[in-house]
Amino acid sequence: MDKKLRIGTRCVQAGYTPGKGAPRQIPIVQSTTFRYETSDQMGRLFDLEDSGYFYTRLQNPTNDMVAARIAALEGGVAAMLTSSGQAANFFACINICEAGGHIVATGNIYGGTFNLLGTSLRKLGIDVTFIHPDASDEEIAAAIRPETRLLFGETLSNPGVEVLDIERFAKIAHQHGIPLIVDNTFATPIHCRPFEWGADIVTHSTTKYMDGHGVSVGGAIVDSGNFDWDAHAEKFPGLTTPDPSYHGLTYTKKFGKLAYITKATSQLMRDYGAIQSPQNAFYLGLGLQTLHVRMPRHTSSALQVATWLRDNPAVAWIRYPDLPGDPEHDRARKYLPDGSCGVLAFALKGGRAVDNAFMDALQLVTIETHVADCYTCILHPASHTHRQLTDEQLREAGIAPDLMRLSIGLEDPADIIEDLDQAIRTALGKA
Ligand SMILES: *Cc1c(COP(=O)(O)O)cnc(C)c1O
């Protein structure tokens, strides 16, 4: 699709142009496998000599159309869908980092990713160093070792909604011959396109705003095509030396800018099998068609709620990067000029007891582990997702023990504010 088309048009149409008499909507190709006419045709597919579908664990037409839409939105050269956001971050890392390798990541990232890197990848022999998102250039450089293979961060951190200084991180990564991988889940390409600031790979939990309706778990990996793997060939042998499991083809030689995604699809999906179902990809495609309409509404409603909370005397503190005076405000204006997302973090005065009484009194706003979809929902990480951590460990992970994560949905913001107001009054009366 024409790259010059505006992003809203790409949301609706990129990735699929129906031919004569074809379905207008991206069709669900609900088939595990695909037929060929000669043995040789099939053989060529397994040698990656021909492109074509043969088994949905590796590729499926529905998934590819939706992935192409996401690639168009991010301005990347190729994308692939995965079964979840977790699978996206896992594959994005292990596609270029093997046992003995090392990853540098900001410590304020989503708890699931923190565990993936800090616990599960460590068990696979990949070491990880977590750094403070505001670490100086020198501190970040000092964390990078000869065996470091990538730098990782989130455009907007979950749950703290801190803004990554993408341009600075990309520069440091490139000075050390490694790519920057950015999880762009909360911002979405509507509000930030990390490739424009130098990031090399973008990941998504499509479960969140991209799906937008809370119906399907999924993930995506997008490649900018900009990182020169061959220039740092000794660091990335998986891409730059022959793959014996495909008769010795070399991904960068054979696929050029498509090397990274082709390897992830044909090798990692083949072996680890974490494909998104075509049915879920279809839901995701539907969600993407309204992403550019929904994101501004999430953001404007969140700013209204954030402003109301900031001015409420019962509120101890609030973090929302679009709020003037927020410590991240200037950085948010640079990277997210049209607004950040619908998620904010805050606490009530009086600590956990008041926070809990407040959450119990909510009627419209629901308590959920989920975030970033059409329903307004709330979570207290210290009592819910992170309850195994001590207050000290929470602070180390950048999460205040009293932090509540509020995700503003698409309801009328006046109703959201009324519900918060009655719940605060009830909590204060009880406490
Ligand atoms: C939810 C989330 C993930 C994990 O995605 P799943 O689809 O739940 O596996 C990763 N990164 C961020 C920023 C998230 O919010």
Side-chain angles (χ1 to χ4, degrees), residues 72-153:
L73 294 177
E74 287 287 4
V77 293
M80 67 191 276
L81 302 186
T82 57
S83 55
S84 66
Q86 286 299 107
N89 283 326
F90 177 55
F91 284 179
C93 291
I94 66 161
N95 202 31
I96 48 172
C97 187
E98 301 176 357
H102 173 246
I103 292 172
V104 177
T106 58
N108 62 346
I109 52 177
Y110 172 66
T113 314
F114 190 85
N115 283 334
L116 167 69
L117 302 181
T119 304
S120 291
L121 286 191
R122 278 209 176 113
K123 286 186 190 160
L124 297 181
I126 295 170
D127 201 11
V128 180
T129 303
F130 291 108
I131 53 166
H132 195 278
D134 285 325
S136 68
D137 291 9
E138 295 70 32
E139 285 167 325
I140 301 171
I144 297 175
R145 310 175 190 162
E147 67 273 23
T148 306
R149 295 292 174 262
L150 63 103
L151 193 54
F152 185 95

Coordinates of all heavy atoms in Angstrom, one line a residue, residues 72-153:
A72 N 2.5 -1.5 8.1 CA 2.3 -0.3 7.5 C 2.0 0.8 8.5 O 2.5 2.0 8.3 CB 1.0 -0.4 6.6
L73 N 1.4 0.5 9.6 CA 1.1 1.5 10.6 C 2.4 2.0 11.3 O 2.6 3.2 11.6 CB 0.1 1.0 11.7 CG -1.3 0.7 11.2 CD1 -2.2 0.1 12.3 CD2 -1.9 2.0 10.7
E74 N 3.3 1.0 11.6 CA 4.6 1.4 12.2 C 5.6 1.9 11.3 O 6.6 2.5 11.7 CB 5.1 0.1 13.0 CG 4.4 -0.3 14.2 CD 4.6 0.7 15.4 OE1 5.3 1.7 15.2 OE2 4.1 0.4 16.5
G75 N 5.4 1.7 10.0 CA 6.4 2.2 9.0 C 7.5 1.2 8.9 O 8.7 1.6 8.6
G76 N 7.2 -0.1 9.1 CA 8.3 -1.1 9.1 C 8.2 -1.9 7.7 O 7.4 -1.6 6.9
V77 N 9.2 -2.7 7.5 CA 9.3 -3.5 6.3 C 8.5 -4.8 6.3 O 8.1 -5.4 5.3 CB 10.7 -3.8 5.8 CG1 11.4 -2.5 5.4 CG2 11.5 -4.5 6.9
A78 N 8.4 -5.4 7.5 CA 7.7 -6.6 7.7 C 7.3 -6.8 9.1 O 7.8 -6.2 10.0 CB 8.6 -7.8 7.3
A79 N 6.2 -7.6 9.3 CA 5.7 -7.9 10.7 C 5.2 -9.4 10.7 O 5.0 -10.0 9.7 CB 4.6 -7.0 11.1
M80 N 5.2 -9.9 11.9 CA 4.5 -11.2 12.1 C 3.7 -11.1 13.4 O 3.9 -10.3 14.3 CB 5.6 -12.3 12.3 CG 6.4 -12.1 13.6 SD 7.9 -13.2 13.6 CE 7.2 -14.7 14.2
L81 N 2.6 -12.0 13.4 CA 1.8 -12.0 14.6 C 2.2 -13.2 15.4 O 2.7 -14.2 14.9 CB 0.3 -12.2 14.2 CG -0.3 -11.2 13.2 CD1 -1.8 -11.5 13.1 CD2 -0.1 -9.8 13.8
T82 N 2.0 -13.1 16.7 CA 2.3 -14.2 17.7 C 1.1 -14.4 18.5 O 0.2 -13.6 18.5 CB 3.5 -13.8 18.6 OG1 3.2 -12.6 19.2 CG2 4.8 -13.6 17.7
S83 N 1.1 -15.5 19.3 CA 0.0 -15.9 20.1 C -0.3 -14.9 21.2 O -1.5 -14.9 21.7 CB 0.2 -17.3 20.6 OG 1.4 -17.3 21.4
S84 N 0.7 -14.2 21.7 CA 0.5 -13.2 22.8 C 1.6 -12.2 22.7 O 2.6 -12.3 22.0 CB 0.5 -13.9 24.1 OG 1.8 -14.4 24.3
G85 N 1.4 -11.1 23.5 CA 2.5 -10.1 23.6 C 3.7 -10.8 24.3 O 4.9 -10.4 23.9
Q86 N 3.5 -11.7 25.2 CA 4.7 -12.4 25.8 C 5.5 -13.1 24.7 O 6.7 -13.0 24.7 CB 4.2 -13.4 26.8 CG 3.7 -12.8 28.1 CD 4.8 -12.0 28.8 OE1 4.8 -10.8 28.9 NE2 5.8 -12.7 29.4
A87 N 4.8 -13.8 23.8 CA 5.5 -14.6 22.8 C 6.2 -13.6 21.9 O 7.3 -13.9 21.4 CB 4.5 -15.4 22.0
A88 N 5.6 -12.4 21.6 CA 6.2 -11.4 20.7 C 7.6 -11.0 21.3 O 8.6 -10.9 20.6 CB 5.3 -10.2 20.5
N89 N 7.6 -10.6 22.6 CA 8.8 -10.2 23.2 C 9.8 -11.3 23.3 O 11.0 -11.1 23.2 CB 8.5 -9.5 24.6 CG 8.0 -8.1 24.5 OD1 8.4 -7.4 23.5 ND2 7.1 -7.7 25.3
F90 N 9.4 -12.5 23.6 CA 10.2 -13.7 23.7 C 10.9 -13.9 22.3 O 12.2 -14.0 22.2 CB 9.4 -14.9 24.1 CG 10.2 -16.2 24.2 CD1 11.4 -16.3 24.9 CD2 9.8 -17.3 23.5 CE1 12.1 -17.5 25.0 CE2 10.5 -18.5 23.5 CZ 11.6 -18.6 24.3
F91 N 10.1 -14.0 21.3 CA 10.7 -14.2 20.0 C 11.6 -13.1 19.5 O 12.6 -13.3 18.9 CB 9.6 -14.5 18.9 CG 9.0 -15.8 19.0 CD1 8.0 -16.2 18.1 CD2 9.4 -16.8 19.9 CE1 7.4 -17.4 18.2 CE2 8.8 -18.0 20.0 CZ 7.8 -18.4 19.1
A92 N 11.2 -11.9 19.8 CA 11.9 -10.7 19.3 C 13.3 -10.8 19.9 O 14.3 -10.4 19.3 CB 11.2 -9.4 19.8
C93 N 13.4 -11.2 21.2 CA 14.8 -11.3 21.8 C 15.5 -12.6 21.3 O 16.7 -12.4 20.9 CB 14.6 -11.4 23.3 SG 14.0 -9.9 24.0
I94 N 14.9 -13.7 21.4 CA 15.7 -14.9 21.1 C 16.0 -15.1 19.6 O 16.9 -15.9 19.2 CB 15.1 -16.3 21.7 CG1 13.8 -16.6 21.0 CG2 15.0 -16.2 23.2 CD1 13.4 -18.1 21.1
N95 N 15.4 -14.3 18.8 CA 15.7 -14.3 17.3 C 17.2 -13.8 17.1 O 17.8 -14.2 16.1 CB 14.7 -13.4 16.6 CG 14.7 -13.8 15.1 OD1 14.8 -14.9 14.7 ND2 14.4 -12.8 14.3
I96 N 17.7 -13.0 18.1 CA 19.0 -12.5 17.9 C 19.9 -12.7 19.1 O 21.1 -12.2 19.1 CB 19.0 -10.9 17.6 CG1 18.1 -10.2 18.5 CG2 18.6 -10.7 16.1 CD1 18.1 -8.7 18.4
C97 N 19.4 -13.3 20.2 CA 20.2 -13.5 21.4 C 20.1 -14.9 21.8 O 19.0 -15.4 22.2 CB 19.6 -12.5 22.5 SG 20.7 -12.5 23.9
E98 N 21.2 -15.6 21.8 CA 21.2 -17.0 22.2 C 21.9 -17.2 23.5 O 22.3 -16.3 24.2 CB 22.0 -17.8 21.1 CG 21.4 -17.6 19.7 CD 22.2 -18.3 18.6 OE1 23.3 -18.8 18.9 OE2 21.8 -18.2 17.4
A99 N 21.9 -18.5 24.0 CA 22.6 -18.8 25.3 C 24.0 -18.2 25.3 O 24.7 -18.3 24.3 CB 22.6 -20.3 25.5
G100 N 24.3 -17.6 26.4 CA 25.6 -16.9 26.5 C 25.5 -15.4 26.1 O 26.4 -14.6 26.4
G101 N 24.4 -15.0 25.6 CA 24.1 -13.6 25.2 C 23.6 -12.8 26.4 O 23.4 -13.4 27.5
H102 N 23.5 -11.5 26.2 CA 23.1 -10.7 27.3 C 22.2 -9.6 26.8 O 22.3 -9.1 25.7 CB 24.4 -10.0 27.9 CG 24.2 -9.0 28.9 ND1 24.5 -7.7 28.7 CD2 23.7 -9.0 30.2 CE1 24.3 -7.0 29.8 NE2 23.8 -7.8 30.7
I103 N 21.2 -9.2 27.6 CA 20.2 -8.1 27.3 C 20.3 -7.0 28.3 O 20.4 -7.3 29.5 CB 18.8 -8.7 27.2 CG1 18.7 -9.7 26.1 CG2 17.7 -7.7 27.1 CD1 17.4 -10.6 26.0
V104 N 20.2 -5.8 27.8 CA 20.1 -4.6 28.7 C 18.7 -4.1 28.6 O 18.2 -3.8 27.4 CB 21.1 -3.5 28.5 CG1 20.9 -2.3 29.4 CG2 22.5 -4.1 28.7
A105 N 17.9 -4.0 29.7 CA 16.5 -3.6 29.6 C 16.2 -2.6 30.7 O 16.8 -2.6 31.8 CB 15.5 -4.7 29.7
T106 N 15.3 -1.7 30.5 CA 14.9 -0.8 31.5 C 14.1 -1.5 32.6 O 13.3 -2.5 32.2 CB 14.0 0.4 31.0 OG1 12.9 -0.1 30.4 CG2 14.8 1.3 30.0
G107 N 14.2 -1.2 33.8 CA 13.6 -1.9 34.9 C 12.2 -1.6 35.1 O 11.5 -2.3 35.9
N108 N 11.6 -0.6 34.4 CA 10.2 -0.2 34.7 C 9.2 -0.9 33.8 O 8.1 -0.5 33.7 CB 10.1 1.3 34.5 CG 10.4 1.8 33.1 OD1 11.0 1.0 32.3 ND2 10.1 3.0 32.8
I109 N 9.7 -1.9 33.0 CA 8.8 -2.6 32.0 C 7.7 -3.4 32.7 O 7.8 -3.8 33.8 CB 9.6 -3.4 31.0 CG1 10.5 -4.4 31.8 CG2 10.5 -2.5 30.1 CD1 11.3 -5.4 30.9
Y110 N 6.8 -3.8 31.8 CA 5.6 -4.6 32.2 C 6.1 -5.9 33.0 O 7.2 -6.5 32.7 CB 5.0 -5.1 30.9 CG 3.9 -6.1 31.1 CD1 2.7 -5.9 31.8 CD2 4.1 -7.4 30.5 CE1 1.7 -6.8 31.9 CE2 3.1 -8.4 30.6 CZ 1.9 -8.1 31.3 OH 0.9 -9.0 31.4
G111 N 5.4 -6.2 34.1 CA 5.8 -7.3 35.0 C 6.1 -8.6 34.3 O 7.0 -9.3 34.6
G112 N 5.2 -8.9 33.3 CA 5.4 -10.2 32.6 C 6.7 -10.2 31.8 O 7.3 -11.2 31.7
T113 N 7.0 -9.0 31.2 CA 8.3 -9.0 30.4 C 9.5 -9.0 31.4 O 10.5 -9.6 31.1 CB 8.3 -7.7 29.6 OG1 7.0 -7.6 28.9 CG2 9.4 -7.8 28.5
F114 N 9.3 -8.3 32.5 CA 10.4 -8.4 33.6 C 10.7 -9.8 34.0 O 11.8 -10.2 34.0 CB 9.9 -7.5 34.8 CG 11.0 -7.3 35.8 CD1 11.8 -6.2 35.6 CD2 11.1 -8.1 36.9 CE1 12.8 -5.9 36.6 CE2 12.1 -7.8 37.8 CZ 13.0 -6.7 37.7
N115 N 9.6 -10.6 34.2 CA 9.8 -12.0 34.5 C 10.4 -12.8 33.4 O 11.3 -13.6 33.6 CB 8.5 -12.7 34.9 CG 8.1 -12.3 36.3 OD1 8.9 -11.9 37.2 ND2 6.8 -12.3 36.6
L116 N 9.9 -12.5 32.2 CA 10.4 -13.3 31.0 C 11.9 -13.1 30.9 O 12.6 -14.1 30.7 CB 9.7 -12.7 29.7 CG 10.3 -13.1 28.4 CD1 10.1 -14.6 28.1 CD2 9.7 -12.3 27.2
L117 N 12.3 -11.8 31.0 CA 13.8 -11.6 30.8 C 14.5 -12.0 32.0 O 15.6 -12.7 31.9 CB 14.0 -10.1 30.6 CG 13.3 -9.4 29.4 CD1 13.7 -7.9 29.3 CD2 13.7 -10.1 28.1
G118 N 14.0 -11.6 33.2 CA 14.8 -11.8 34.4 C 14.8 -13.2 35.0 O 15.7 -13.6 35.7
T119 N 13.8 -14.0 34.7 CA 13.6 -15.4 35.2 C 13.8 -16.4 34.1 O 14.7 -17.2 34.1 CB 12.3 -15.6 35.9 OG1 12.1 -14.6 36.9 CG2 12.2 -16.9 36.5
S120 N 12.9 -16.3 33.1 CA 12.9 -17.4 32.1 C 14.1 -17.4 31.1 O 14.6 -18.4 30.8 CB 11.6 -17.5 31.4 OG 10.5 -17.8 32.2
L121 N 14.4 -16.2 30.6 CA 15.6 -16.1 29.7 C 16.8 -16.5 30.5 O 17.8 -17.1 29.9 CB 15.7 -14.8 29.0 CG 14.7 -14.5 27.9 CD1 15.0 -13.3 27.1 CD2 14.5 -15.7 26.9
R122 N 16.9 -16.1 31.7 CA 18.1 -16.4 32.5 C 18.3 -18.0 32.6 O 19.4 -18.5 32.5 CB 18.0 -15.9 33.9 CG 18.4 -14.4 34.0 CD 19.0 -14.0 35.4 NE 19.5 -12.6 35.3 CZ 18.9 -11.6 36.0 NH1 17.9 -11.9 36.8 NH2 19.4 -10.4 35.9
K123 N 17.1 -18.7 32.7 CA 17.2 -20.1 32.8 C 17.7 -20.7 31.4 O 18.2 -21.8 31.4 CB 15.8 -20.7 33.1 CG 15.4 -20.5 34.5 CD 14.1 -21.3 34.8 CE 13.6 -20.9 36.2 NZ 12.2 -21.2 36.3
L124 N 17.5 -20.0 30.4 CA 18.0 -20.4 29.1 C 19.4 -20.0 28.8 O 20.0 -20.2 27.7 CB 17.1 -19.9 27.9 CG 15.6 -20.3 27.9 CD1 14.9 -19.7 26.8 CD2 15.5 -21.8 27.9
G125 N 20.0 -19.4 29.8 CA 21.4 -19.0 29.7 C 21.7 -17.6 29.1 O 22.8 -17.3 28.6
I126 N 20.6 -16.8 29.1 CA 20.7 -15.4 28.6 C 20.7 -14.5 29.8 O 19.7 -14.5 30.6 CB 19.6 -15.1 27.6 CG1 19.7 -15.9 26.3 CG2 19.6 -13.6 27.3 CD1 18.5 -15.8 25.4
D127 N 21.7 -13.7 30.0 CA 21.8 -12.9 31.2 C 21.2 -11.5 30.9 O 21.1 -11.1 29.7 CB 23.3 -12.7 31.6 CG 23.4 -12.3 33.1 OD1 22.3 -12.3 33.8 OD2 24.5 -11.9 33.5
V128 N 20.6 -10.9 31.9 CA 19.9 -9.6 31.7 C 20.4 -8.6 32.8 O 20.6 -9.0 33.9 CB 18.4 -9.8 31.9 CG1 17.7 -8.5 31.7 CG2 17.9 -10.8 30.9
T129 N 20.6 -7.4 32.4 CA 20.9 -6.3 33.3 C 19.7 -5.3 33.2 O 19.4 -4.8 32.1 CB 22.2 -5.6 33.0 OG1 23.2 -6.5 33.0 CG2 22.5 -4.5 34.0
F130 N 19.1 -5.0 34.3 CA 18.0 -4.0 34.3 C 18.6 -2.6 34.7 O 19.4 -2.5 35.7 CB 16.9 -4.3 35.3 CG 16.1 -5.5 34.8 CD1 16.2 -6.8 35.4 CD2 15.3 -5.4 33.7 CE1 15.5 -7.9 35.0 CE2 14.5 -6.5 33.2 CZ 14.7 -7.8 33.9
I131 N 18.3 -1.6 33.9 CA 18.8 -0.3 34.2 C 17.6 0.7 34.5 O 16.5 0.4 34.1 CB 19.6 0.3 33.0 CG1 18.8 0.2 31.7 CG2 21.0 -0.4 32.9 CD1 19.4 1.0 30.6
H132 N 17.9 1.8 35.2 CA 16.9 2.8 35.4 C 16.6 3.5 34.1 O 17.6 3.8 33.3 CB 17.4 3.8 36.5 CG 16.3 4.6 37.0 ND1 15.9 5.7 36.4 CD2 15.6 4.5 38.1 CE1 14.9 6.3 37.1 NE2 14.7 5.6 38.2
P133 N 15.3 3.8 33.8 CA 15.0 4.4 32.5 C 15.7 5.8 32.4 O 15.9 6.3 31.2 CB 13.5 4.5 32.5 CG 13.1 4.2 33.9 CD 14.1 3.4 34.5
D134 N 16.0 6.4 33.5 CA 16.7 7.7 33.4 C 18.2 7.6 33.7 O 18.9 8.6 34.0 CB 16.1 8.7 34.4 CG 14.7 9.2 33.8 OD1 14.6 9.3 32.6 OD2 13.8 9.4 34.6
A135 N 18.8 6.4 33.5 CA 20.2 6.2 33.7 C 20.9 7.1 32.7 O 20.4 7.3 31.6 CB 20.6 4.7 33.4
S136 N 22.1 7.6 33.0 CA 22.9 8.4 32.1 C 23.4 7.6 31.0 O 23.5 6.4 31.0 CB 24.0 9.1 32.9 OG 25.0 8.1 33.2
D137 N 23.9 8.3 29.9 CA 24.5 7.6 28.8 C 25.6 6.7 29.2 O 25.8 5.6 28.8 CB 25.0 8.6 27.8 CG 23.9 9.4 27.1 OD1 22.8 9.3 27.5 OD2 24.3 10.1 26.1
E138 N 26.4 7.2 30.2 CA 27.6 6.5 30.7 C 27.1 5.2 31.4 O 27.7 4.2 31.3 CB 28.4 7.4 31.6 CG 29.1 8.6 30.9 CD 28.1 9.7 30.5 OE1 27.1 9.8 31.2 OE2 28.4 10.3 29.5
E139 N 26.1 5.4 32.2 CA 25.6 4.2 33.0 C 25.1 3.1 32.0 O 25.3 1.9 32.3 CB 24.5 4.6 34.0 CG 25.0 5.4 35.2 CD 24.0 6.1 36.0 OE1 23.0 6.6 35.4 OE2 24.1 6.1 37.2
I140 N 24.3 3.6 31.0 CA 23.8 2.6 30.0 C 25.0 1.9 29.3 O 25.0 0.7 29.2 CB 22.8 3.2 29.0 CG1 21.7 3.9 29.8 CG2 22.3 2.2 28.0 CD1 20.8 4.7 28.9
A141 N 25.9 2.7 28.9 CA 27.1 2.2 28.2 C 27.8 1.2 29.0 O 28.3 0.1 28.6 CB 28.0 3.3 27.7
A142 N 27.9 1.5 30.3 CA 28.7 0.6 31.3 C 27.9 -0.7 31.4 O 28.6 -1.7 31.7 CB 28.8 1.3 32.6
A143 N 26.6 -0.7 31.2 CA 25.9 -2.0 31.4 C 26.0 -2.9 30.1 O 25.7 -4.1 30.2 CB 24.4 -1.7 31.6
I144 N 26.4 -2.3 29.0 CA 26.5 -3.1 27.8 C 27.9 -3.8 27.7 O 28.9 -3.2 28.0 CB 26.4 -2.1 26.5 CG1 25.0 -1.5 26.5 CG2 26.6 -2.9 25.2 CD1 24.7 -0.5 25.4
R145 N 27.8 -5.1 27.5 CA 29.0 -5.9 27.5 C 29.3 -6.4 26.0 O 28.5 -6.2 25.1 CB 28.8 -7.2 28.3 CG 28.2 -7.0 29.7 CD 28.0 -8.3 30.3 NE 27.2 -8.2 31.6 CZ 26.6 -9.2 32.1 NH1 26.5 -10.4 31.5 NH2 25.9 -9.1 33.2
P146 N 30.5 -7.0 25.8 CA 30.7 -7.6 24.5 C 29.7 -8.5 24.0 O 29.4 -8.6 22.8 CB 32.1 -8.3 24.6 CG 32.7 -7.7 25.8 CD 31.6 -7.2 26.8
E147 N 29.1 -9.3 24.9 CA 28.1 -10.3 24.5 C 26.6 -9.7 24.6 O 25.7 -10.5 24.4 CB 28.2 -11.6 25.4 CG 27.8 -11.4 26.9 CD 29.0 -11.0 27.8 OE1 29.9 -10.3 27.3 OE2 28.9 -11.2 29.0
T148 N 26.5 -8.4 24.8 CA 25.1 -7.8 24.8 C 24.6 -7.8 23.3 O 25.3 -7.5 22.4 CB 25.1 -6.4 25.3 OG1 25.7 -6.5 26.6 CG2 23.7 -5.9 25.4
R149 N 23.3 -8.2 23.2 CA 22.8 -8.4 21.8 C 21.6 -7.4 21.5 O 21.2 -7.2 20.4 CB 22.2 -9.8 21.6 CG 23.3 -10.9 21.6 CD 24.3 -10.7 20.4 NE 25.4 -11.6 20.5 CZ 26.6 -11.2 20.9 NH1 26.9 -10.0 21.3 NH2 27.6 -12.1 20.9
L150 N 21.1 -6.8 22.6 CA 20.0 -5.8 22.3 C 19.7 -5.0 23.6 O 20.0 -5.4 24.7 CB 18.7 -6.5 21.9 CG 18.1 -7.5 22.9 CD1 16.9 -6.9 23.6 CD2 17.7 -8.8 22.2
L151 N 19.1 -3.8 23.3 CA 18.7 -2.9 24.3 C 17.1 -2.9 24.2 O 16.6 -2.9 23.1 CB 19.2 -1.5 24.1 CG 19.2 -0.4 25.1 CD1 19.8 -0.9 26.4 CD2 19.9 0.8 24.6
F152 N 16.4 -3.0 25.4 CA 15.0 -3.1 25.4 C 14.3 -2.1 26.3 O 14.8 -1.9 27.4 CB 14.6 -4.5 25.9 CG 13.2 -4.9 25.8 CD1 12.7 -5.5 24.7 CD2 12.3 -4.5 26.8 CE1 11.3 -5.8 24.6 CE2 10.9 -4.8 26.7 CZ 10.4 -5.5 25.6
G153 N 13.2 -1.5 25.8 CA 12.4 -0.6 26.7 C 11.0 -0.5 26.2 O 10.7 -1.1 25.1

